[in-house]
């Protein structure tokens, strides 16, 4: 591997370090870039199709596209990626090399900001275990792995009738800022037009304090839609955000515009959203949401009978699936989720909220068999998955 020496007297000078890193990166990438010019190295972005190509609607299926790989490939072609240096439109986030803002596109889409449990994948306990190797966590530690999962969260990029996309985020958990560092620059996401909360556990609201970066530097405030019971919890866990009067003068924290969310259809930035009440453990209510013909239920152990009518004629169901077997008092396991799919009968299903014992490729191979045997179109989602939709 090539090496670059930095004179000892300059090792603390960021400009010298950046220059040296830039030289090293050029040596590492020049062969591939030269091959690109000769047309010898141009791997196409990976794609996953469920059904023939087309937009997401009643009559045409959803195209699942590995947008992150596509953008990275485009970035290499433009020679715009840097590991070290001061280029403002490039970011390094958690081991991922990410290009600057993507070109503005039209249409609506979904982006899976996170697809994991509260602790995420990989687990520290697995990576540091001297006696047992967790294969999935080991794979998840590899940059680009689809087993790497942060707290469950979904971005709805809704193309408003005025032509401007609205960024509507569902949940901002403990890992939200890390997810935003990775995906927002890569996908050209800047402003948060609204935040909608499913429930008040830490994996859904633990990132509220990090919204200060937006309200201090991008926008005046973030509208946050929350059920009364969850706002009451936030009044204890994030009391200084709910009641800014207690903040020390001169302190810049997140500025949130709390809006009480009913359990009846309501509008967010012109998009109608219907709450889907479900149980997330005995006696604890969480909310899923329906927008258009898409139903999103991330934290659920039981669906009440009165919620099923709201799930009729669902094109895309995004549903909680914690583990491949066994039981859970607060989440559906994969067998339980599949039973719900058989009952709800959506056109296709994506599972989310997976633990470290749900291997992305292996589980998807098993799910593919259901398409042949039962006509069920289902697979695991992954962090960074982008799906064009119609709303």
């Amino acid at each position: 591997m090539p090496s670059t020496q930095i004179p000892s007297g300059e090792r603390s000078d960021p400009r010298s370090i950046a220059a040296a890193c830039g030289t090293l990166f050029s040596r590492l990438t020049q062969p591939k870039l030269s091959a690109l010019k000769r047309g010898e190295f141009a791997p196409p972005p990976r794609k996953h199709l469920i059904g023939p190509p087309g937009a997401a609607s009643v009559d045409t299926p959803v195209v699942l596209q590995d947008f992150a790989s596509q953008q990275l490939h485009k970035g290499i072609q433009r020679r715009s990626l840097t590991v070290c240096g001061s280029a403002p439109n490039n970011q390094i986030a958690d081991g991922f090399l990410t290009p600057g803002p993507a070109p503005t596109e039209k249409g609506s889409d979904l982006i899976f900001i996170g697809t994991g449990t509260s602790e995420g994948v990989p687990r520290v306990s697995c990576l540091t275990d001297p006696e047992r190797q967790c294969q999935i966590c080991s794979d998840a530690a590899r940059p680009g792995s689809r087993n790497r999962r942060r707290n469950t969260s979904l971005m709805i990029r809704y193309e408003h009738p005025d032509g401007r996309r609205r960024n509507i985020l569902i949940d901002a958990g403990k890992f939200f800022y890390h997810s935003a560092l990775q995906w927002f620059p890569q996908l050209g996401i800047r402003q948060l037009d609204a935040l909608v909360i499913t429930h008040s556990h830490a994996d859904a609201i633990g990132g509220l304090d990090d919204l200060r970066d937006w309200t201090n530097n991008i926008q005046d405030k973030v509208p946050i839609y929350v059920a009364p019971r969850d706002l009451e919890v936030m009044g204890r866990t994030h009391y200084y955000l709910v009641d800014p009067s207690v903040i020390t003068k001169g302190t810049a924290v997140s500025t949130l515009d709390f809006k009480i969310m009913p359990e009846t259809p309501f509008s967010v930035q012109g998009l109608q959203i219907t709450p889907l009440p479900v149980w997330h453990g005995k006696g604890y209510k969480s909310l899923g949401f329906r927008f258009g013909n898409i139903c999103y239920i991330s934290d659920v152990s039981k669906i009440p009978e009165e919620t099923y009518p709201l799930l009729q004629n669902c094109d895309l169901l995004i549903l909680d699936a914690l583990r491949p077997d066994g039981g859970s008092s607060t989440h559906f396991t994969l067998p339980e989720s599949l039973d719900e799919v058989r009952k709800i009968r959506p056109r296709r299903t994506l599972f989310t909220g997976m633990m470290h014992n749900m291997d992305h490729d292996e589980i998807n191979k098993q799910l593919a068999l259901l398409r042949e045997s039962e006509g069920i179109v289902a697979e695991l989602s992954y962090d960074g998955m982008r799906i064009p939709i119609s709303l």
Side-chain angles (χ1 to χ4, degrees):
M1 178 176 176
S3 62
T4 298
Q5 297 295 324
I6 303 174
S8 58
E10 300 178 6
R11 287 176 185 168
S12 61
D13 183 352
R15 291 172 297 180
S16 298
I17 295 173
C21 288
T23 301
L24 176 59
F25 183 67
S26 296
R27 293 181 184 177
L28 290 171
T29 58
Q30 191 58 44
K32 286 185 177 180
L33 291 173
S34 298
L36 263 174
K37 292 178 68 176
R38 296 193 302 269
E40 299 171 2
F41 181 77
R46 293 173 295 172
K47 291 185 179 181
H48 288 264
L49 302 178
I50 45 178
S57 65
V58 174
D59 299 316
T60 53
V62 179
V63 178
L64 306 186
Q65 190 173 26
D66 186 351
F67 190 71
S69 296
Q70 182 186 41
Q71 288 301 106
L72 180 59
H73 176 58
K74 289 180 180 178
I76 293 174
Q77 288 179 311
R78 293 194 301 266
R79 302 192 187 189
S80 65
L81 300 181
T82 59
V83 173
C84 300
S86 59
N89 66 328
N90 293 287
Q91 306 288 335
I92 299 174
D94 199 14
F96 286 77
L97 191 61
T98 59
T104 301
E105 300 176 23
K106 292 188 176 296
S108 300
D109 59 15
L110 299 179
I111 299 166
F112 287 79
I113 302 301
T115 60
T117 58
S118 183
E119 61 195 357
V121 184
R123 289 179 173 180
V124 173
S125 59
C126 288
L127 297 181
T128 58
D129 190 336
E131 298 179 356
R132 176 182 173 273
Q133 184 182 29
C134 174
Q135 296 295 332
I136 296 176
C137 284
S138 296
D139 179 78
R142 175 181 57 84
S145 170
R146 291 185 179 177
N147 283 318
R148 177 175 291 203
R149 303 175 182 124
R150 299 192 183 98
N151 295 159
T152 302
S153 178
L154 185 74
M155 176 71 78
I156 308 168
R157 291 203 294 187
Y158 166 58
E159 186 177 42
H160 192 274
D162 67 9
R164 184 177 77 81
R165 272 179 167 175
R166 303 297 200 271
N167 298 321
I168 302 171
L169 181 68
I170 300 179
D171 288 342
K174 299 177 294 181
F175 296 156
F176 166 68
Y177 200 75
H178 298 280
S179 297
L181 280 173
Q182 182 172 349
W183 303 119
F184 282 29
Q186 195 172 109
L187 299 173
I189 299 171
R190 181 168 171 81
Q191 181 164 319
L192 289 176
D193 294 292
L195 171 61
V196 184
I197 300 297
T198 60
H199 66 301
S200 51
H201 286 170
D203 56 352
I205 66 170
L208 295 183
D209 186 77
D210 292 321
L211 296 176
R212 67 174 67 196
D213 189 18
W214 278 261
T215 60
N216 290 343
N217 302 300
I218 297 175
Q219 58 198 81
D220 292 336
K221 60 186 177 181
V222 174
I224 173 170
Y225 293 78
V226 58
R229 60 185 175 277
D230 295 321
L231 181 59
E232 182 180 346
V233 173
M234 292 177 190
R236 298 190 297 270
T237 62
H238 295 80
Y239 64 93
Y240 58 98
L241 299 181
V242 176
D243 180 12
S245 67
V246 304
I247 299 173
T248 302
K249 187 176 181 179
T251 303
V253 300
S254 306
T255 304
L256 305 180
D257 180 13
F258 290 93
K259 299 179 181 296
I260 298 298
M261 179 171 55
E263 287 192 5
T264 54
F266 63 100
S267 177
V268 178
Q269 294 290 325
L271 176 65
Q272 179 169 296
I273 295 179
T274 300
L276 304 171
V278 296
W279 294 113
H280 181 23
K282 186 176 180 179
Y284 186 88
K285 186 179 287 187
S286 179
L287 293 175
F289 299 105
R290 178 169 185 153
F291 40 97
N293 288 327
I294 299 168
C295 298
Y296 177 80
I297 306 176
S298 61
D299 294 82
V300 55
S301 58
K302 184 178 181 180
I303 299 177
E305 286 301 320
E306 57 268 26
T307 297
Y308 283 107
L310 302 175
L311 299 171
Q312 292 179 357
N313 301 315
C314 174
D315 285 348
L316 174 62
L317 174 65
I318 303 169
L319 187 62
D320 189 10
L322 182 69
R323 60 206 318 172
D325 51 28
S328 169
S329 62
T330 54
H331 292 272
F332 280 156
T333 60
L334 183 58
E336 292 170 330
S337 294
L338 285 170
D339 285 342
E340 295 297 329
V341 169
R342 294 181 180 101
K343 186 172 183 178
I344 298 168
R345 302 183 64 82
R347 290 176 60 87
R348 60 193 51 81
T349 302
L350 291 170
F351 295 116
T352 190
M354 289 82 68
M355 285 181 63
H356 72 142
N357 50 7
M358 294 275 277
D359 182 82
H360 182 85
D361 292 335
E362 290 303 315
I363 296 295
N364 276 347
K365 288 178 184 178
Q366 298 173 31
L367 291 173
L369 300 176
L370 294 177
R371 183 167 189 170
E372 300 176 8
S373 61
E374 300 184 48
I376 293 176
V377 180
E379 65 176 316
L380 302 188
S381 60
Y382 57 89
D383 290 24
M385 176 184 276
R386 171 181 173 266
I387 307 173
I389 57 173
S390 294
L391 290 173

